[in-house]
Amino acid sequence: MNKQKYNSKNGQTLIFFLVVLVIMFFAVIWVFDLHNILNTKSKIRNAGDSAAVMGARWQGISLNIMGDLNIMNAIAIADGDYATVDAISNIQVRLAFTGPLIGFDAAQQAGKNNGIFNNDEFTDYVFEHANIVRNQYTQQSPTTGNMLFAEPYPGAWDEYATMLESIASRGIAVGIDNAKFYTDVSYNHYLLMYEFYDAIAGQNWCWFYFHAMNLLETYNSYRNWGPLPVFTSFIPVNSEILGLQLSRRNTRLGNIAGQTSEDYSLAEHGRSLVNVQNSTNSFNWYCYSSGAWNSWSSFDIQSGFPATGTVKPQYDYTGADSATRIETDMERLTPGQDGEIVTNGVTWTSAAKAFGYLNDTETPCLYDLVIPAFHDVRLIPLDTSSTPYGGAFDLEWQRHINDHLPKYILYGTSGLTPGCYFCNQLRTWERGSFRNDGIDWLDDPDNVQSCTAPSSGGNRGGGTTRGH
Ligand SMILES: [Zn+2]
């Protein structure tokens, strides 16, 4: 009796011990998973940061060469050497594309040197894009007879497509998230706003209150949306990927900004530049595009977002920058439901920018003309970068815009694509009860009062869902 009791107790202890062991086993592999995730995150972070820096470094190098060529152009004009002027123009127009694409290639190397593997989806995307450049950009418009996008120089689209293919053929590990594809439509439509979908997913009625109150109150069917905006064709000056954000102006040098030759800090060339400034003939000059090179003060830095501290006057400018995206899968040891293997996606986005200055108080873009002035590269907060909401290499978002939305516009919920996060939000949006919940919530003045006004951060519509 006693012995049996002892045995039974022993058995219970054993079971307890086994349970603890099993728990510990899972705890250990869970911790290992956690460590693995953290380890992957640290690796991906280094890779992403160095890729962004590498992209920005090549932007800086390209800007400096562009500036050197502007100066050489002025000297050649002063010397009446028009063959050289012509040659410089030809080099500049190509440099605006090749310089950034070398940066795109170098960013891949930086990512791979830090242990990141090729991302097959990114690789396919760049190949697909090269194909679009080669076959669609060159198509003639039936109305004007011109190419969809006029070539910056003869044969440019074929050359550009070949460069993209050559980079993609070695595999793409790092996406450039602030790429501005010529076909990208502007974001003046709710269906093209990343925040619209996030507001639905998070039932963020305050977002609707500030940005889309009328839509929330009056919407009743997908037929309300009307057609999606179409892009207009133009003559590109900058590369789509890591573009330098420049404009080409055909004018007298003296018409560019209000500078004197001394302002260029180029005493040795002063005499010839003065002659060129006084010349009445127009030539091509590469200038900082006024839409892109602005003061950081358009961000609300005083309120501590998206960056803290003061900006030194000589560094107070936005403009060309480099934002990278790395997405990699990591297999978990902890089995998921029904014992299947679970993989977690780990994503890292970084941004960097080339910096320089003319002197202690003057930015390189104080005068419009590009001159060689970039000395350094720094990481910058992603929210101060030119990355659009979602990011150009967020392929799920791109697919949603390009493939899913046109069907939704035509067929409503039956046109939505299963499994797409954004289509799922539209399914929720289409439910009248969902929208009524929002209207009811916003009917309560206490609720409305709890909504904090968005900060005046540029044109980003306030706030952010990104953590860094
Ligand atoms: Zn979708």
Side-chain angles (χ1 to χ4, degrees):
M1 193 72 181
N2 238 356
K3 197 180 176 194
Q4 209 179 353
K5 199 177 177 189
Y6 173 79
N7 274 350
S8 149
K9 209 176 177 185
N10 204 20
Q12 280 173 8
T13 312
L14 194 66
I15 288 168
F16 176 74
F17 186 66
L18 276 174
V19 167
V20 169
L21 254 185
V22 167
I23 291 172
M24 279 176 65
F25 173 75
F26 278 105
V28 165
I29 60 172
W30 185 78
V31 167
F32 182 82
D33 266 356
L34 190 68
H35 177 75
N36 202 9
I37 290 171
L38 291 177
N39 194 26
T40 307
K41 278 208 165 152
S42 141
K43 191 168 86 174
I44 197 174
R45 182 181 178 149
N46 282 336
D49 288 356
S50 53
V53 164
M54 195 52 89
R57 193 171 297 285
W58 274 98
Q59 287 179 315
I61 293 169
S62 309
L63 286 165
N64 284 343
I65 300 174
M66 196 63 94
D68 280 326
L69 289 166
N70 270 338
I71 294 165
M72 285 163 66
N73 203 31
I75 296 167
I77 293 166
D79 292 348
D81 181 356
Y82 297 108
T84 303
V85 171
D86 216 38
I88 289 171
S89 252
N90 281 330
I91 298 169
Q92 282 183 314
V93 74
R94 285 166 174 80
L95 175 65
F97 288 85
T98 45
L101 285 179
I102 293 170
F104 183 36
D105 201 20
Q108 306 306 318
Q109 283 310 316
K112 290 174 195 178
N113 289 346
N114 280 280
I116 300 298
F117 296 108
N118 288 333
N119 180 321
D120 291 343
E121 282 196 306
F122 284 2
T123 307
D124 290 347
Y125 185 56
V126 175
F127 271 125
E128 257 170 54
H129 187 66
N131 191 40
I132 290 172
V133 171
R134 197 187 297 285
N135 297 312
Q136 291 182 20
Y137 285 14
T138 50
Q139 262 171 29
Q140 287 177 336
S141 148
T143 44
T144 62
N146 296 327
M147 279 190 194
L148 179 60
F149 296 112
E151 286 190 310
Y153 56 93
W157 294 148
D158 198 48
E159 227 174 270
Y160 178 47
T162 306
M163 286 191 276
L164 287 174
E165 281 162 355
S166 125
I167 297 167
S169 66
R170 291 191 290 281
I172 302 297
V174 179
I176 303 298
D177 238 8
N178 63 336
K180 289 187 177 61
F181 298 110
Y182 303 141
T183 47
D184 280 355
V185 284
S186 60
Y187 295 101
N188 59 358
H189 192 291
Y190 287 115
L191 291 175
L192 301 175
M193 287 181 190
Y194 206 86
E195 316 98 293
F196 172 65
Y197 299 90
D198 277 352
I200 297 170
Q203 297 192 21
N204 181 356
W205 304 121
C206 291
W207 185 87
F208 284 95
Y209 178 73
F210 288 116
H211 303 283
M213 199 56 198
N214 192 43
L215 179 77
L216 182 65
E217 285 175 341
T218 60
Y219 184 89
N220 56 43
S221 155
Y222 69 92
R223 292 189 182 85
N224 293 160
W225 287 120
L228 292 167
V230 286
F231 59 88
T232 48
S233 86
F234 62 106
I235 306 173
V237 172
N238 296 290
S239 161
E240 293 173 306
I241 294 169
L242 295 175
L244 303 178
Q245 312 305 336
L246 303 180
S247 61
R248 186 175 52 228
R249 293 175 58 183
N250 186 273
T251 184
R252 292 173 50 238
L253 183 59
N255 281 347
I256 299 174
Q259 74 280 71
T260 66
S261 55
E262 282 79 7
D263 290 327
Y264 296 121
S265 317
L266 297 163
E268 70 269 37
H269 298 309
R271 184 186 52 80
S272 34
L273 282 176
V274 169
N275 291 344
V276 176
Q277 266 180 259
N278 295 336
S279 154
T280 50
N281 294 329
S282 291
F283 295 95
N284 284 329
W285 303 100
Y286 274 79
C287 299
Y288 299 104
S289 171
S290 56
W293 296 80
N294 290 312
S295 163
W296 291 98
S297 60
S298 57
F299 293 103
D300 194 4
I301 288 176
Q302 294 306 321
S303 72
F305 182 83
T308 50
T310 51
V311 180
K312 288 184 180 168
Q314 69 270 37
Y315 292 123
D316 188 14
Y317 54 93
T318 58
D321 57 6
S322 149
T324 52
R325 169 183 293 256
I326 290 176
E327 286 180 4
T328 189
D329 280 340
M330 200 217 54
E331 230 174 67
R332 268 172 36 185
L333 293 180
T334 324
Q337 266 184 330
D338 307 324
E340 85 274 26
I341 292 169
V342 179
T343 49
N344 284 55
V346 183
T347 298
W348 185 258
T349 44
S350 313
K353 177 167 170 46
F355 282 102
Y357 47 85
L358 297 183
N359 56 43
D360 282 353
T361 54
E362 294 184 330
T363 70
C365 46
L366 183 64
Y367 310 106
D368 293 348
L369 191 73
V370 178
I371 49 172
F374 292 86
H375 322 102
D376 207 352
V377 174
R378 289 275 187 271
L379 288 167
I380 57 170
L382 192 72
D383 280 301
T384 61
S385 78
S386 59
T387 311
Y389 263 100
F393 266 70
D394 185 338
L395 303 188
E396 193 185 3
W397 173 236
Q398 294 290 336
R399 267 186 222 112
H400 176 71
I401 292 178
N402 296 313
D403 303 339
H404 306 168
L405 278 186
K407 287 179 215 148
Y408 164 67
I409 290 281
L410 285 177
Y411 308 115
T413 45
S414 58
L416 293 172
T417 304
C420 166
Y421 164 84
F422 305 101
C423 284
N424 288 344
Q425 307 320 318
L426 290 177
R427 197 166 289 116
T428 305
W429 169 253
E430 284 293 336
R431 286 204 316 263
S433 62
F434 171 81
R435 300 193 303 275
N436 283 334
D437 282 352
I439 294 167
D440 289 348
W441 193 86
L442 290 171
D443 259 351
D444 184 340
D446 286 348
N447 287 338
V448 170
Q449 218 164 28
S450 74
C451 293
T452 46
S455 69
S456 57
N459 57 0
R460 286 158 182 273
T464 178
T465 53
R466 290 184 295 229
H468 64 274

